[in-house]
Amino acid sequence: MQKITSRIRIGWYLYDWANSAFVTTVVTTFLGPYLTAIAKNAADSKGFFSVFGIPIYSGSLFTYLVSISVILQAIFLPFLGSFADLYRLKRRFLYLFAFVGSFATILLFWLASDTILIGSLLFVVANLSFGASVVMYNALLNDIAAENERDKISSIGWAIGYLGGGLLLGLNLLILLFKDRFGIDEATAVRISFAMAGIWWALFSYISMINFKVPTKLIASNKGTYSFYGVIQKLGTTFKGLSKNRVALIFLIAYLFYNDGIQTVIVVSAQFGKHELGIEMQLILQVILLVQFLAFAGALLFGKVAQLVSNRWAIVVSLGVWCVIVFYAYLFLDSVNGFIFLSILIAIVLGGTQALSRSLFSLLIPRDNEAEYFSLYEISEKGTSWIGPALFGLVLQFTQSYRFGILSLILFFVVGLILVSSLNFKRAKKKEVL
């Protein structure tokens, strides 16, 4: 760790700055409402349209696409993580998938009513690539921070990501607000925002790559010995090790639940505001922009809270707040002021919950297996949940009610809260298996 320079850590931080543009602009803000709108144009009088003979409710399409992309992650990322660990390719894979994902995002500029299927495929590719890159990014945390530094370094990374995502979102807001002056309509402004997110992701990934140069040579004993069977064997060893590490396993299960709920709230927030509350897209954009900058402060705040109490109890408190958020949205949220209030509450706990979860998990996994373990962790990471969007989409499809869709998400936070509260992380950090 003495050889890790500030430039290397800045390079690591910059990738969160880069990829947050995709999450904030595409996943959180624009794609859900935009895709829903163009899907409605292609739907019948009841709001359904057919995809390969399967009836899809227009409001559910976006959440289904998120779920499909993450199911693919669940299939492929563990193998990719095993290969990356075996051959020390975490950094190379990070930037490979960053550029694939950013290029697919740029191509979303051409998403329209007559290109829904192609655009849907591009989003699946972009989100799958995003997930693969973040697996490698998270796994590299152990290479740049000692155990006693990881809460701090992880929190700074999340905070800088919120700033980056917020800055681009601000630029996109200006384009939307002054669209008439630019001679474009709202749909064109949104599609320009997609392209800008992809360009931002690619540009700052390149700057990150120049600065982030942690050695990534192959392990000498493994050089030239690669085989598909070897990767499967290593992956099997990892699953056996995880099954024996009760704390890491149960925390991972808890995380897959509660972060799935968090990501679903993020994914559907703009869609809920526009189609359930009738809020104008410009105002939704301003609120999400506010959330980005407040989440920056929230991530740093929870880093301090973790130092005062513990990261476990900081996470427990945040999950209690998430339960309140979901219940309030279901029962009381019916105005613009309520939407703003709830968004501020989300911002306070958002970054802290995620940053502390990442650093805590990094303490529970063995050295030289980070990418494999984080490939499992990534199944419900930033912008890549799948069970929550699928559940929300199904509830919405059968009830046509966004409120019942939101209420269904409380299950994820309750399960996560119960599991996290039950574990003894102090013993886990001492490598004791409960």
Side-chain angles (χ1 to χ4, degrees):
M1 289 303 160
Q2 294 176 350
K3 296 181 181 180
I4 300 298
T5 65
S6 59
R7 178 176 178 176
I8 289 174
R9 285 182 175 171
I10 289 172
W12 187 79
Y13 296 146
L14 274 174
Y15 186 66
D16 216 325
W17 172 284
N19 71 48
S20 291
F22 172 73
V23 177
T24 305
T25 292
V26 179
V27 180
T28 303
T29 307
F30 287 115
L31 189 59
Y34 178 77
L35 192 59
T36 299
I38 63 174
K40 281 184 176 180
N41 292 335
D44 59 24
S45 59
K46 295 181 179 179
F48 287 82
F49 69 102
S50 177
V51 178
F52 301 117
I54 302 173
I56 302 292
Y57 183 62
S58 56
S60 300
L61 176 61
F62 176 58
T63 53
Y64 287 159
L65 292 178
V66 173
S67 296
I68 289 170
S69 65
V70 183
I71 289 171
L72 292 175
Q73 288 183 28
I75 295 171
F76 292 113
L77 293 191
F79 297 98
L80 188 67
S82 178
F83 185 73
D85 281 332
L86 192 63
Y87 275 76
R88 299 293 192 183
L89 294 173
K90 290 179 288 190
R91 179 181 174 276
R92 293 184 183 181
F93 279 173
L94 164 61
Y95 295 109
L96 169 65
F97 287 104
F99 292 125
V100 170
S102 59
F103 183 68
T105 303
I106 292 171
L107 293 179
L108 287 174
F109 174 78
W110 286 275
L111 175 59
S113 296
D114 56 348
T115 58
I116 289 180
L117 292 182
I118 295 175
S120 297
L121 178 61
L122 285 172
F123 173 68
V124 169
V125 170
N127 210 29
L128 177 59
S129 299
F130 169 83
S133 70
V134 174
V135 166
M136 307 305 158
Y137 173 73
N138 287 341
L140 286 161
L141 173 63
N142 287 14
D143 293 329
I144 65 166
E147 289 190 1
N148 62 345
E149 299 178 294
R150 289 182 197 161
D151 284 343
K152 175 184 175 182
I153 299 300
S154 182
S155 296
I156 292 174
W158 275 98
I160 288 177
Y162 283 120
L163 282 182
L167 180 58
L168 179 66
L169 191 60
L171 295 175
N172 293 328
L173 173 60
L174 292 177
I175 293 174
L176 193 62
L177 290 176
F178 295 100
K179 61 183 185 300
D180 294 334
R181 186 171 298 181
F182 294 133
I184 59 177
D185 57 17
E186 182 173 309
T188 303
V190 169
R191 292 189 294 109
I192 290 173
S193 297
F194 294 155
M196 288 180 62
I199 293 169
W200 180 286
W201 188 2
L203 174 63
F204 285 103
S205 292
Y206 179 73
I207 298 174
S208 169
M209 182 174 64
I210 293 174
N211 290 277
F212 186 48
K213 295 189 176 180
V214 174
T216 56
K217 294 181 179 179
L218 301 179
I219 302 173
S221 60
N222 289 334
K223 201 169 185 178
T225 62
Y226 167 72
S227 68
F228 180 74
Y229 175 75
V231 172
I232 296 296
Q233 189 176 43
K234 187 175 187 301
L235 190 58
T237 301
T238 296
F239 277 109
K240 288 181 180 178
L242 182 61
S243 67
K244 295 178 181 178
N245 186 344
R246 181 173 177 268
V247 173
L249 176 60
I250 296 181
F251 176 73
L252 181 60
I253 294 171
Y255 182 79
L256 294 180
F257 270 96
Y258 71 74
N259 201 53
D260 213 295
I262 291 173
Q263 296 308 318
T264 308
V265 170
I266 294 171
V267 164
V268 304
S269 58
Q271 190 178 2
F272 184 92
K274 183 176 178 63
H275 296 285
E276 175 68 21
L277 302 179
I279 302 175
E280 292 294 326
M281 197 63 213
Q282 289 93 331
L283 180 56
I284 292 175
L285 189 54
Q286 293 176 55
V287 173
I288 294 176
L289 182 61
L290 173 66
V291 168
Q292 290 298 117
F293 292 108
L294 290 178
F296 164 79
L300 298 179
L301 173 64
F302 267 81
K304 297 293 185 182
V305 172
Q307 294 176 359
L308 295 175
V309 286
S310 71
N311 43 18
R312 179 182 71 135
W313 284 111
I315 292 171
V316 167
V317 170
S318 72
L319 292 180
V321 176
W322 279 107
C323 290
V324 172
I325 288 170
V326 170
F327 188 73
Y328 178 90
Y330 165 70
L331 195 59
F332 299 109
L333 183 55
D334 59 2
S335 66
V336 172
N337 289 337
F339 187 76
I340 295 172
F341 165 75
L342 205 61
S343 298
I344 293 173
L345 194 58
I346 288 173
I348 294 172
V349 296
L350 178 60
T353 308
Q354 296 170 322
L356 294 179
S357 298
R358 177 171 64 186
S359 59
L360 195 153
F361 188 66
S362 75
L363 297 171
L364 304 176
I365 60 179
R367 185 68 178 167
D368 296 327
N369 290 274
E370 296 91 349
E372 276 186 281
Y373 277 81
F374 271 110
S375 69
L376 303 175
Y377 181 90
E378 177 58 22
I379 293 171
S380 189
E381 242 297 23
K382 187 169 60 177
T384 58
S385 58
W386 67 281
I387 302 175
L391 178 61
F392 182 91
L394 287 171
V395 172
L396 178 59
Q397 176 152 342
F398 286 108
T399 67
Q400 279 87 62
S401 169
Y402 284 93
R403 293 187 183 276
F404 282 118
I406 285 289
L407 181 63
S408 68
L409 303 180
I410 200 168
L411 169 68
F412 297 95
F413 298 111
V414 170
V415 172
L417 180 61
I418 292 172
L419 291 177
V420 172
S421 300
S422 68
L423 294 179
N424 186 338
F425 288 112
K426 290 183 179 180
R427 291 183 63 189
K429 291 179 183 180
K430 295 178 182 178
K431 311 303 181 186
E432 295 180 18
V433 178
L434 300 185

